[in-house]
Amino acid sequence: MDAALLLALGLLAQSLDLSWGDPGRPGILHPWRRLPAPGRVRRAWVIPPISVPENYKGLPYMLVQIRSDKRQPGGVIYSIQGPGVDEEPLGLFSVEKFSGRVFLNAELDREKTASYRLKVFALDLGGSVLEEPTDLEIVVVDQNDNRPAFVREVFAGRVLEGAAPGTYVTRAEATDADDPDTDNAALHYSILEQGSPELFSIHARTGEIRTVHVGLDREAVAVYNLTLQVADMSGEGLTATASAIISVDDINDNAPEFTRDEFSMEATEAVSGVDVGRLEVEDRDLPGSPNWVANFTILEGDPSGHFGIRTDPRTNEGVLSVVKPLDYESHAHYELRVSVQNEAPLQAAPTRIQRGQARLSIRVQDINEPPVFPENPLRTSLAEGAAPGTFVATFSAQDPDVEQLQRVSYSKDYDPEDWLQVDGATGRVQTQRALSPASPFLKDGWYRAVVLALDDVLVLLVLLRARFRPRSRDRSLLRGPLDDDLRDNILNYNEQGGGEEDQDAYDLNQLRHPSELAAPSFPPGRPPLRREAPLGRGRPQAPRPPPASPADIASFIRDGLQAADSDPSVPPYDTALIYDYEGDGSAAGTLSSPVSSLGDEDQDYDYLQDWGPRFARLADLYGHP
């Protein structure tokens, strides 16, 4: 026990008439002594608390000696009762019954029990009460025997990059089981390690962590790992450590940039919906965030809207595609100027020159396009029974590939009566025999034939319509203007030889490749041709499929014709009936007769706009204005 405490206890003992004996030894306590005073009598003293440090190891340790002034012959018997004696925790305190000395028998823990209140008794040898019971309080003095502890091992915090000094990030928290009213539980927080430069500070008492300097840049350092310390005794006592992980959140402080000033690409004419190339960009912001995702804009060079740019979400590249078919003959080269921006607005001024725009040079590749007939279908008029060698018409197809200089030749594709003869070099058509007026292929005086125009690779079909006039009329040939007969296709006859029209018409002005004119083949999943199909318009109509490609249509027509012509079980005029039935659900869609124009006013030809320049004439004639 230090000198100051002994002195204080000594002064207290003197004021309370306590006798401590020699210095350093517990004194004698007279709890029942009366102090004479004029006018009143005090029956007993109030015993001051007896203090004892926790964890004291010099046991047994005498705390105090109690004594009664009512001594009887034979002496006094002393006893104590209460927690630590005859109540839990048992055995902490005891008293010598004849001497009155009170002993501490075990170490105390203030964090479990901070004080004990006992009852003191004085009895004579016969067990009779000499004094009224009085209280004896024993106070456990706190020692710094508990290390402070953080409430968690890791504290997490977030802060935006570029945050101003003093911005709150997170708060560290620790506890100490010692007496909160003493320095044993006075906590002090500090940062042991945070790297360089020191961008964070912690409040010594509250544990709040804040920024102290500018310079947080996610692109430089995305996560900071701080080592924290807490110490009791106001920073001079026991210590503990924990971590603080601070994540720097991204802002859009970096603009996307093209990796080059100029990109070169090639695109094929007459196609759409195809990708041409990629525009590579760089952005240092957080990948996948709106601060990183690039949006591309065509600023100039594409007034007709032939191109589009979409963003690849995985690479952030711009994917250039053709959205409207190109025409090499009208525009062989494009120079575009494109720009790139983020989805999120830029929040900071750029620190260096940006490359937010680029030039895009696109060369259009020429492909072989089919010849084009200036008039399709071609209508003419002949007298009935025209003699062999009679001139019918002359076809003059033009090849749009002006730079390829290919030869155009002509041939028949459909001539059911083998009535016509076509000059392959000039396109001149004449009769090669007389046509019987009873021919099943005459419908209201009209005969239909299909002529092919071929360059070195591609094929174009044109419909020839020849009308027969009575012999008494003028025998001159007539060539009429284009009308809705342009929508006509091949004839469709029933088993009695009469014509049968179908409302689902389809133009024969389609692309065909010579390789598709080979042996018959059916589209995938298509059943074989059936002769027992129902006739006429009573057949339920299946929903019309989307327009098929020109190659599919031409191939389907040719295959069906060859299959029917090689079937000996039916007359030739039944050929067209196949298309009336078998056309439904085919890869080429439903086909119709050449006279279907009489009832197909509701046909939609707007899709011709998407087939490229070579179909522009048809699109203008039959598409919606």
Side-chain angles (χ1 to χ4, degrees), residues 120-161:
V120 180
F121 299 90
L123 308 173
D124 61 16
L125 296 179
S128 299
V129 176
L130 296 177
E131 304 280 4
E132 291 293 328
T134 189
D135 293 331
L136 175 62
E137 184 177 5
I138 300 173
V139 176
V140 183
V141 178
D142 185 48
Q143 302 292 311
N144 191 19
D145 60 342
N146 289 279
R147 186 179 298 274
F150 282 102
V151 296
R152 60 178 64 94
E153 294 183 358
V154 178
F155 296 88
R158 309 192 73 88
V159 63
L160 286 176
E161 61 177 329

Short mmCIF file of all heavy atoms in Angstrom, two decimals, residues 120-161:
data_model
loop_
_atom_site.label_atom_id
_atom_site.label_comp_id
_atom_site.label_asym_id
_atom_site.label_seq_id
_atom_site.Cartn_x
_atom_site.Cartn_y
_atom_site.Cartn_z
N VAL A 120 -21.90 -7.52 10.40
CA VAL A 120 -20.99 -7.84 11.50
C VAL A 120 -21.80 -7.98 12.79
O VAL A 120 -22.64 -7.13 13.09
CB VAL A 120 -19.92 -6.74 11.65
CG1 VAL A 120 -18.98 -7.09 12.80
CG2 VAL A 120 -19.14 -6.59 10.34
N PHE A 121 -21.50 -9.06 13.54
CA PHE A 121 -22.23 -9.34 14.79
C PHE A 121 -21.22 -9.45 15.94
O PHE A 121 -20.10 -9.94 15.76
CB PHE A 121 -22.99 -10.66 14.68
CG PHE A 121 -24.03 -10.68 13.59
CD1 PHE A 121 -23.69 -11.10 12.30
CD2 PHE A 121 -25.34 -10.28 13.85
CE1 PHE A 121 -24.62 -11.12 11.30
CE2 PHE A 121 -26.28 -10.31 12.83
CZ PHE A 121 -25.94 -10.72 11.56
N ALA A 122 -21.70 -9.00 17.14
CA ALA A 122 -20.93 -9.17 18.39
C ALA A 122 -21.83 -9.87 19.41
O ALA A 122 -22.89 -9.35 19.77
CB ALA A 122 -20.45 -7.83 18.93
N LEU A 123 -21.40 -11.05 19.92
CA LEU A 123 -22.20 -11.87 20.83
C LEU A 123 -21.39 -12.15 22.09
O LEU A 123 -20.14 -12.16 22.06
CB LEU A 123 -22.59 -13.19 20.16
CG LEU A 123 -23.26 -13.09 18.77
CD1 LEU A 123 -23.41 -14.49 18.17
CD2 LEU A 123 -24.61 -12.39 18.87
N ASP A 124 -22.13 -12.42 23.16
CA ASP A 124 -21.41 -12.87 24.36
C ASP A 124 -21.19 -14.36 24.26
O ASP A 124 -21.61 -15.00 23.29
CB ASP A 124 -22.18 -12.48 25.64
CG ASP A 124 -23.57 -13.11 25.71
OD1 ASP A 124 -23.83 -14.08 24.93
OD2 ASP A 124 -24.40 -12.64 26.50
N LEU A 125 -20.54 -14.88 25.25
CA LEU A 125 -20.21 -16.30 25.20
C LEU A 125 -21.46 -17.18 25.22
O LEU A 125 -21.41 -18.32 24.77
CB LEU A 125 -19.30 -16.67 26.36
CG LEU A 125 -17.90 -16.00 26.35
CD1 LEU A 125 -17.09 -16.42 27.56
CD2 LEU A 125 -17.18 -16.33 25.07
N GLY A 126 -22.53 -16.65 25.68
CA GLY A 126 -23.77 -17.44 25.71
C GLY A 126 -24.57 -17.31 24.44
O GLY A 126 -25.63 -17.92 24.32
N GLY A 127 -24.10 -16.49 23.52
CA GLY A 127 -24.79 -16.35 22.26
C GLY A 127 -25.75 -15.20 22.21
O GLY A 127 -26.46 -15.02 21.22
N SER A 128 -25.78 -14.42 23.29
CA SER A 128 -26.69 -13.28 23.30
C SER A 128 -26.05 -12.12 22.56
O SER A 128 -24.82 -11.94 22.55
CB SER A 128 -27.02 -12.87 24.73
OG SER A 128 -27.66 -13.93 25.39
N VAL A 129 -26.88 -11.30 21.93
CA VAL A 129 -26.41 -10.16 21.15
C VAL A 129 -25.95 -9.07 22.08
O VAL A 129 -26.70 -8.62 22.95
CB VAL A 129 -27.52 -9.64 20.22
CG1 VAL A 129 -27.04 -8.39 19.49
CG2 VAL A 129 -27.95 -10.71 19.23
N LEU A 130 -24.67 -8.67 21.87
CA LEU A 130 -24.15 -7.55 22.65
C LEU A 130 -24.35 -6.22 21.93
O LEU A 130 -24.54 -5.20 22.57
CB LEU A 130 -22.66 -7.76 22.92
CG LEU A 130 -22.30 -8.99 23.78
CD1 LEU A 130 -20.78 -9.11 23.91
CD2 LEU A 130 -22.94 -8.87 25.17
N GLU A 131 -24.26 -6.26 20.62
CA GLU A 131 -24.41 -5.05 19.83
C GLU A 131 -25.40 -5.33 18.68
O GLU A 131 -25.55 -6.47 18.23
CB GLU A 131 -23.05 -4.64 19.22
CG GLU A 131 -21.94 -4.44 20.24
CD GLU A 131 -22.01 -3.08 20.93
OE1 GLU A 131 -22.97 -2.34 20.64
OE2 GLU A 131 -21.11 -2.76 21.70
N GLU A 132 -26.02 -4.28 18.22
CA GLU A 132 -26.87 -4.41 17.03
C GLU A 132 -25.99 -4.72 15.80
O GLU A 132 -24.89 -4.18 15.68
CB GLU A 132 -27.64 -3.11 16.78
CG GLU A 132 -28.70 -2.83 17.82
CD GLU A 132 -29.82 -3.84 17.77
OE1 GLU A 132 -30.11 -4.34 16.65
OE2 GLU A 132 -30.39 -4.16 18.81
N PRO A 133 -26.43 -5.57 14.89
CA PRO A 133 -25.62 -5.85 13.69
C PRO A 133 -25.34 -4.56 12.90
O PRO A 133 -26.20 -3.66 12.84
CB PRO A 133 -26.48 -6.82 12.87
CG PRO A 133 -27.43 -7.42 13.87
CD PRO A 133 -27.70 -6.34 14.89
N THR A 134 -24.14 -4.47 12.36
CA THR A 134 -23.78 -3.30 11.55
C THR A 134 -23.17 -3.76 10.24
O THR A 134 -22.77 -4.93 10.08
CB THR A 134 -22.81 -2.40 12.31
OG1 THR A 134 -22.63 -1.19 11.59
CG2 THR A 134 -21.46 -3.07 12.51
N ASP A 135 -23.06 -2.84 9.28
CA ASP A 135 -22.58 -3.19 7.93
C ASP A 135 -21.08 -2.96 7.82
O ASP A 135 -20.52 -2.03 8.39
CB ASP A 135 -23.28 -2.32 6.88
CG ASP A 135 -24.76 -2.64 6.77
OD1 ASP A 135 -25.13 -3.79 7.04
OD2 ASP A 135 -25.55 -1.74 6.41
N LEU A 136 -20.49 -3.85 7.02
CA LEU A 136 -19.08 -3.72 6.67
C LEU A 136 -18.98 -3.86 5.14
O LEU A 136 -19.28 -4.92 4.60
CB LEU A 136 -18.23 -4.80 7.33
CG LEU A 136 -16.74 -4.82 6.93
CD1 LEU A 136 -16.06 -3.53 7.32
CD2 LEU A 136 -16.06 -6.01 7.59
N GLU A 137 -18.59 -2.77 4.45
CA GLU A 137 -18.51 -2.78 2.99
C GLU A 137 -17.06 -2.91 2.55
O GLU A 137 -16.19 -2.17 3.03
CB GLU A 137 -19.11 -1.51 2.39
CG GLU A 137 -19.13 -1.53 0.87
CD GLU A 137 -19.79 -0.31 0.26
OE1 GLU A 137 -20.15 0.61 1.02
OE2 GLU A 137 -19.97 -0.28 -0.98
N ILE A 138 -16.84 -3.84 1.66
CA ILE A 138 -15.51 -4.07 1.12
C ILE A 138 -15.55 -3.71 -0.37
O ILE A 138 -16.31 -4.33 -1.15
CB ILE A 138 -15.07 -5.53 1.30
CG1 ILE A 138 -15.05 -5.88 2.80
CG2 ILE A 138 -13.72 -5.77 0.65
CD1 ILE A 138 -14.78 -7.34 3.06
N VAL A 139 -14.77 -2.71 -0.77
CA VAL A 139 -14.74 -2.21 -2.16
C VAL A 139 -13.51 -2.78 -2.86
O VAL A 139 -12.39 -2.70 -2.33
CB VAL A 139 -14.72 -0.68 -2.20
CG1 VAL A 139 -14.59 -0.19 -3.62
CG2 VAL A 139 -15.97 -0.12 -1.53
N VAL A 140 -13.74 -3.35 -4.06
CA VAL A 140 -12.66 -3.92 -4.85
C VAL A 140 -12.09 -2.81 -5.75
O VAL A 140 -12.82 -2.23 -6.56
CB VAL A 140 -13.14 -5.10 -5.71
CG1 VAL A 140 -11.97 -5.72 -6.47
CG2 VAL A 140 -13.82 -6.15 -4.83
N VAL A 141 -10.82 -2.51 -5.58
CA VAL A 141 -10.17 -1.45 -6.34
C VAL A 141 -9.72 -2.01 -7.71
O VAL A 141 -9.10 -3.06 -7.79
CB VAL A 141 -8.97 -0.88 -5.58
CG1 VAL A 141 -8.27 0.20 -6.39
CG2 VAL A 141 -9.43 -0.34 -4.22
N ASP A 142 -10.11 -1.27 -8.81
CA ASP A 142 -9.81 -1.73 -10.17
C ASP A 142 -8.32 -1.68 -10.46
O ASP A 142 -7.61 -0.76 -10.06
CB ASP A 142 -10.54 -0.85 -11.18
CG ASP A 142 -10.36 -1.34 -12.60
OD1 ASP A 142 -10.54 -2.55 -12.82
OD2 ASP A 142 -10.04 -0.52 -13.47
N GLN A 143 -7.87 -2.71 -11.18
CA GLN A 143 -6.51 -2.76 -11.72
C GLN A 143 -6.63 -2.87 -13.24
O GLN A 143 -7.63 -3.35 -13.77
CB GLN A 143 -5.76 -3.98 -11.15
CG GLN A 143 -5.66 -4.01 -9.64
CD GLN A 143 -4.78 -2.89 -9.10
OE1 GLN A 143 -3.67 -2.71 -9.59
NE2 GLN A 143 -5.28 -2.16 -8.11
N ASN A 144 -5.65 -2.42 -13.95
CA ASN A 144 -5.66 -2.49 -15.42
C ASN A 144 -5.32 -3.91 -15.87
O ASN A 144 -4.24 -4.19 -16.40
CB ASN A 144 -4.69 -1.47 -16.02
CG ASN A 144 -4.89 -1.33 -17.54
OD1 ASN A 144 -5.93 -1.69 -18.07
ND2 ASN A 144 -3.88 -0.81 -18.21
N ASP A 145 -6.27 -4.79 -15.67
CA ASP A 145 -6.03 -6.20 -15.98
C ASP A 145 -6.83 -6.67 -17.20
O ASP A 145 -6.91 -7.87 -17.46
CB ASP A 145 -6.38 -7.06 -14.77
CG ASP A 145 -7.84 -6.91 -14.35
OD1 ASP A 145 -8.47 -5.92 -14.75
OD2 ASP A 145 -8.35 -7.79 -13.63
N ASN A 146 -7.41 -5.74 -17.96
CA ASN A 146 -8.17 -6.10 -19.17
C ASN A 146 -7.64 -5.30 -20.36
O ASN A 146 -7.59 -4.06 -20.32
CB ASN A 146 -9.66 -5.82 -18.99
CG ASN A 146 -10.31 -6.78 -18.03
OD1 ASN A 146 -10.66 -7.90 -18.39
ND2 ASN A 146 -10.46 -6.35 -16.78
N ARG A 147 -7.29 -6.02 -21.39
CA ARG A 147 -6.79 -5.39 -22.61
C ARG A 147 -7.98 -4.88 -23.42
O ARG A 147 -9.01 -5.57 -23.53
CB ARG A 147 -5.99 -6.40 -23.41
CG ARG A 147 -5.29 -5.84 -24.65
CD ARG A 147 -4.51 -6.94 -25.35
NE ARG A 147 -3.48 -7.48 -24.48
CZ ARG A 147 -2.26 -6.95 -24.37
NH1 ARG A 147 -1.95 -5.85 -25.06
NH2 ARG A 147 -1.37 -7.49 -23.56
N PRO A 148 -7.90 -3.70 -24.02
CA PRO A 148 -9.01 -3.25 -24.88
C PRO A 148 -9.16 -4.19 -26.08
O PRO A 148 -8.20 -4.85 -26.49
CB PRO A 148 -8.58 -1.84 -25.29
CG PRO A 148 -7.10 -1.83 -25.16
CD PRO A 148 -6.78 -2.75 -24.01
N ALA A 149 -10.36 -4.22 -26.64
CA ALA A 149 -10.64 -5.12 -27.78
C ALA A 149 -11.52 -4.40 -28.79
O ALA A 149 -12.52 -3.77 -28.42
CB ALA A 149 -11.33 -6.40 -27.30
N PHE A 150 -11.17 -4.51 -30.07
CA PHE A 150 -12.02 -3.98 -31.14
C PHE A 150 -13.26 -4.87 -31.28
O PHE A 150 -13.19 -6.08 -31.06
CB PHE A 150 -11.27 -3.94 -32.47
CG PHE A 150 -10.30 -2.79 -32.60
CD1 PHE A 150 -8.94 -2.99 -32.42
CD2 PHE A 150 -10.76 -1.52 -32.88
CE1 PHE A 150 -8.05 -1.94 -32.55
CE2 PHE A 150 -9.87 -0.46 -33.00
CZ PHE A 150 -8.51 -0.66 -32.83
N VAL A 151 -14.37 -4.25 -31.63
CA VAL A 151 -15.62 -5.01 -31.74
C VAL A 151 -15.60 -5.94 -32.95
O VAL A 151 -16.41 -6.86 -33.05
CB VAL A 151 -16.83 -4.07 -31.81
CG1 VAL A 151 -16.96 -3.28 -30.51
CG2 VAL A 151 -16.73 -3.14 -33.01
N ARG A 152 -14.73 -5.69 -33.93
CA ARG A 152 -14.56 -6.61 -35.06
C ARG A 152 -13.11 -6.54 -35.53
O ARG A 152 -12.40 -5.57 -35.24
CB ARG A 152 -15.52 -6.28 -36.21
CG ARG A 152 -15.38 -4.91 -36.80
CD ARG A 152 -16.36 -4.72 -37.97
NE ARG A 152 -17.73 -4.79 -37.52
CZ ARG A 152 -18.46 -3.74 -37.19
NH1 ARG A 152 -17.93 -2.52 -37.27
NH2 ARG A 152 -19.69 -3.86 -36.77
N GLU A 153 -12.72 -7.57 -36.26
CA GLU A 153 -11.34 -7.62 -36.72
C GLU A 153 -11.08 -6.71 -37.92
O GLU A 153 -9.97 -6.21 -38.10
CB GLU A 153 -10.96 -9.06 -37.10
CG GLU A 153 -10.93 -10.02 -35.92
CD GLU A 153 -10.50 -11.42 -36.33
OE1 GLU A 153 -10.27 -11.62 -37.55
OE2 GLU A 153 -10.39 -12.28 -35.47
N VAL A 154 -12.12 -6.53 -38.76
CA VAL A 154 -11.96 -5.71 -39.97
C VAL A 154 -13.12 -4.72 -40.06
O VAL A 154 -14.29 -5.11 -39.94
CB VAL A 154 -11.92 -6.59 -41.24
CG1 VAL A 154 -11.80 -5.72 -42.48
CG2 VAL A 154 -10.77 -7.59 -41.17
N PHE A 155 -12.79 -3.47 -40.26
CA PHE A 155 -13.79 -2.42 -40.49
C PHE A 155 -13.75 -2.04 -41.97
O PHE A 155 -12.67 -1.83 -42.53
CB PHE A 155 -13.50 -1.19 -39.62
CG PHE A 155 -13.60 -1.46 -38.15
CD1 PHE A 155 -12.51 -1.91 -37.44
CD2 PHE A 155 -14.79 -1.28 -37.47
CE1 PHE A 155 -12.59 -2.16 -36.08
CE2 PHE A 155 -14.89 -1.53 -36.12
CZ PHE A 155 -13.79 -1.97 -35.41
N ALA A 156 -14.92 -2.00 -42.59
CA ALA A 156 -15.01 -1.69 -44.02
C ALA A 156 -15.53 -0.28 -44.22
O ALA A 156 -16.42 0.18 -43.48
CB ALA A 156 -15.92 -2.69 -44.74
N GLY A 157 -14.98 0.41 -45.21
CA GLY A 157 -15.42 1.75 -45.54
C GLY A 157 -15.33 2.00 -47.02
O GLY A 157 -14.59 1.32 -47.74
N ARG A 158 -16.10 2.99 -47.51
CA ARG A 158 -16.10 3.35 -48.92
C ARG A 158 -16.04 4.87 -49.03
O ARG A 158 -16.62 5.58 -48.21
CB ARG A 158 -17.33 2.83 -49.65
CG ARG A 158 -17.62 1.36 -49.46
CD ARG A 158 -18.68 0.87 -50.43
NE ARG A 158 -18.14 0.75 -51.77
CZ ARG A 158 -17.53 -0.33 -52.25
NH1 ARG A 158 -17.39 -1.39 -51.47
NH2 ARG A 158 -17.06 -0.36 -53.48
N VAL A 159 -15.36 5.32 -50.08
CA VAL A 159 -15.25 6.75 -50.32
C VAL A 159 -15.07 6.97 -51.82
O VAL A 159 -14.43 6.16 -52.50
CB VAL A 159 -14.07 7.36 -49.52
CG1 VAL A 159 -12.74 6.77 -49.97
CG2 VAL A 159 -14.06 8.88 -49.63
N LEU A 160 -15.68 8.03 -52.35
CA LEU A 160 -15.54 8.34 -53.77
C LEU A 160 -14.14 8.88 -54.06
O LEU A 160 -13.58 9.64 -53.25
CB LEU A 160 -16.58 9.37 -54.19
CG LEU A 160 -18.03 8.90 -54.32
CD1 LEU A 160 -18.92 10.08 -54.65
CD2 LEU A 160 -18.16 7.83 -55.40
N GLU A 161 -13.62 8.46 -55.20
CA GLU A 161 -12.33 9.03 -55.58
C GLU A 161 -12.50 10.54 -55.79
O GLU A 161 -13.56 11.02 -56.19
CB GLU A 161 -11.79 8.38 -56.85
CG GLU A 161 -12.66 8.52 -58.09
CD GLU A 161 -12.00 7.91 -59.31
OE1 GLU A 161 -10.76 7.93 -59.38
OE2 GLU A 161 -12.72 7.43 -60.19
#
